[in-house]
Amino acid sequence: TWSRSRGRDAAAFRESLRRHRFLNSSPWENTTAFYGVNQFSYLFPEEFKAIYLRSKPAMFPRQPTEMYKPIPNVP
Amino acid sequence: LPLRFDWRDKHVVTQVRSQQMCGGCWAFSVVGAVESAHAIQGEPLEVLSVQQVLDCSYKDDGCGGGSPLNALRWLNKTQVKLVEDSEYPFKAQNGLCRYFSSSQSGVSVKDYTSHDFSEQEDEMARALLTFGPLVVVVDAVSWQDYLGGIIQHHCSSGEANHAVLVTGFDKTGRIPYWIVRNSWGRSWGVDGYAHVKMGSNICGIADSVSAVSV
């Protein structure tokens, strides 16, 4: 539980706007995603992480690559 | 592979839900995969209970977080039947695990597979076609601000923190992308979905991939 206040919300929102500017002005040519105000804009990133990003990763085996063998010449 | 495929077009994907202030993305993704696998078998598309997984998958921490792999292991090992959401509704908080009689109708997991498909995203697309929607774990830090478009930057592989469900892909445009169902409500992203570039393991989308059969 995070203690919320109008001041804190406003600060988180200002930080979000700064972040959106950064995310939308990326140096890559092929940028197609766009970022802006949504329901999470009143959360600081650490609050957002603490609430919503709660999945633990696991190490999985690599998917085995199929071995392709050349088909021999047949009549 | 087809140029475009989305399990939503087959009417086997349930509506986007909202996890509210609960860190239960891992349960939403797993239940979404079970719902779809069940419908792909020709059964009616049913909304199954996320709360049951949150409360009962004992190696996880409910709304405090968890791992899709633990949930799948639990479902597979115990052969628990997932009941309908209306039977065991979502409360957005941890609760005591409720048990049901064996006569209770529900869906149990027959098997699951988990693999790392990095550098093999075409194989991952084949797995999607074969098994149904895939549970993946991604780095979603920058998704806090996502409104739409194809995510190609601002996230990394090896930093997974959020579980979602891949329902399809689209290679018809200049940038091929995965179609990803999130659990942050329909007002987030593209009607609750994100589009993530295919082929470069963006956000680690191919690192931890699980498929379910029921």
Side-chain angles (χ1 to χ4, degrees):
Chain A
T1 307
W2 299 83
S3 58
R4 307 294 313 178
S5 70
R6 286 173 72 90
R8 187 182 172 87
D9 282 356
F13 190 75
R14 280 194 299 275
E15 190 176 315
S16 290
L17 295 180
R18 277 197 294 273
R19 209 169 51 241
H20 301 159
R21 272 197 296 278
F22 164 74
L23 292 168
N24 287 322
S25 64
S26 68
W28 297 287
E29 275 182 21
N30 276 337
T31 301
T32 55
F34 40 99
Y35 301 87
V37 174
N38 65 11
Q39 70 263 46
F40 301 129
S41 297
Y42 291 93
L43 292 175
F44 283 109
E46 59 270 25
E47 294 173 303
F48 175 76
K49 275 183 82 169
I51 299 167
Y52 294 101
L53 306 182
R54 305 298 300 226
S55 185
K56 293 166 194 140
M59 293 296 289
F60 292 161
R62 282 187 71 77
Q63 168 73 6
T65 312
E66 283 183 38
M67 297 296 289
Y68 294 103
K69 291 181 187 164
I71 299 169
N73 285 330
V74 288
Chain B
L1 286 173
L3 279 179
R4 188 183 189 284
F5 184 85
D6 189 349
W7 281 110
R8 282 181 296 177
D9 298 337
K10 313 282 183 197
H11 310 289
V12 293
V13 181
T14 53
Q15 285 290 319
V16 170
R17 277 176 267 183
S18 171
Q19 63 186 78
Q20 300 174 39
M21 298 280 279
C22 165
C25 58
W26 57 277
F28 279 89
S29 61
V30 166
V31 171
V34 174
E35 289 166 343
S36 291
H38 183 59
I40 290 167
Q41 301 264 320
E43 302 294 332
L45 181 62
E46 289 174 2
V47 179
L48 299 175
S49 174
V50 170
Q51 192 66 44
Q52 187 179 5
V53 178
L54 288 168
D55 292 348
C56 304
S57 180
Y58 61 93
K59 284 200 172 172
D60 295 299
D61 187 23
C63 287
S67 147
L69 185 61
N70 283 343
L72 287 168
R73 276 190 190 133
W74 167 72
L75 283 166
N76 188 234
K77 193 175 165 186
T78 61
Q79 288 296 295
V80 160
K81 284 183 190 167
L82 280 184
V83 300
E84 285 190 52
D85 182 70
S86 55
E87 191 76 41
Y88 198 154
F90 181 58
K91 298 183 300 183
Q93 59 186 19
N94 293 354
L96 287 176
C97 178
R98 283 173 54 193
Y99 294 91
F100 295 87
S101 69
S102 54
S103 60
Q104 172 75 43
S105 65
V107 183
S108 57
V109 167
K110 197 185 285 176
D111 201 5
Y112 69 94
T113 58
S114 297
H115 279 108
D116 171 353
F117 280 97
S118 51
E119 296 170 35
Q120 298 175 86
E121 284 178 64
D122 273 348
E123 286 300 321
M124 181 170 153
R126 280 191 192 94
L128 176 88
L129 294 177
T130 308
F131 297 109
L134 303 171
V135 177
V136 300
V137 189
V138 294
D139 168 23
V141 170
S142 66
W143 294 22
Q144 177 178 2
D145 305 297
Y146 175 73
L147 295 181
I150 304 170
I151 297 169
Q152 303 180 66
H153 310 291
H154 304 305
C155 59
S156 38
S157 55
E159 305 278 342
N161 44 42
H162 183 51
V164 287
L165 189 70
V166 175
T167 66
F169 58 84
D170 191 330
K171 293 172 141 189
T172 57
R174 192 168 50 90
I175 301 163
Y177 61 86
W178 294 109
I179 300 165
V180 179
R181 191 184 83 163
N182 204 347
S183 50
W184 295 342
R186 292 191 68 180
S187 60
W188 179 87
V190 185
D191 294 326
Y193 280 73
H195 296 162
V196 178
K197 185 185 174 188
M198 278 179 98
S200 313
N201 196 17
I202 298 296
C203 305
I205 196 163
D207 282 336
S208 317
V209 181
S210 299
V212 181
S213 60
V214 298

